Amino acid sequence: ALRKGSDLEKAFATAALVYNNYADHESKLSKSETKSLLQSQFWHFIQGQENKPKYQEIMSSLDEESENKINFEDFMILLVSLTLMSDLLQEIKNVKTTK
C-alpha cells in the first residue's frame, strides 16, 4: 500500500503490520505477547538495556498478571519509550545519510 511512501511512512506501516500479526481478534496484545514481540522483533533496540531502571520498570509491568491488554496506541508509545532509552539510538544519530 505504501510502495511509493516515504521511509518514515514505510517504517510506521511496518510497525502496524507487525503489531497486527501478533494482535488478537480485538486488535490487542496481552502483556506476555507484547514482551515476546519486543524480544523477537525489537531486540537490537532493547539489547544492553537490562540494567537501566526505566527499562526494568517497563519490562516488569509486562510481567504482571493482568487482564489488561495493550492496544496499538500504547504499543507505539512503548516502542518510542524503549527507542529513546536505547544505546542504539545514539549510534543511529551518528550516522548521516545523503539523499
Side-chain angles (χ1 to χ4, degrees):
L2 283 176
R3 287 185 197 113
K4 295 181 182 181
S6 71
D7 290 344
L8 187 57
E9 290 170 324
K10 290 175 186 174
F12 274 89
T14 299
L17 288 170
V18 169
Y19 177 87
N20 286 336
N21 284 336
Y22 280 78
D24 64 15
H25 66 281
E26 297 175 334
S27 295
K28 293 186 177 186
L29 291 174
S30 71
K31 290 182 176 186
S32 63
E33 290 167 327
T34 301
K35 188 172 182 178
S36 174
L37 187 158
L38 292 172
Q39 290 172 333
S40 66
Q41 297 288 320
F42 213 59
W43 174 247
H44 290 96
F45 277 92
I46 62 175
Q47 184 178 0
Q49 306 308 302
E50 297 84 4
N51 294 325
K52 292 183 178 179
K54 186 64 178 171
Y55 175 85
Q56 292 173 349
E57 178 185 326
I58 289 169
M59 296 311 272
S60 68
S61 74
L62 295 176
D63 286 333
E64 294 173 1
E65 287 298 320
S66 174
E67 296 281 329
N68 294 337
K69 291 190 174 188
I70 294 174
N71 63 24
F72 182 67
E73 181 180 318
D74 292 337
F75 177 73
M76 291 304 289
I77 291 168
L78 180 62
L79 284 185
V80 169
S81 298
L82 290 170
T83 300
L84 289 173
M85 74 176 72
S86 174
D87 296 331
L88 183 59
L89 181 61
Q90 190 57 48
E91 290 178 39
I92 292 168
K93 286 180 177 180
N94 292 331
V95 174
K96 298 291 182 189
T97 59
T98 56
K99 293 244 172 187

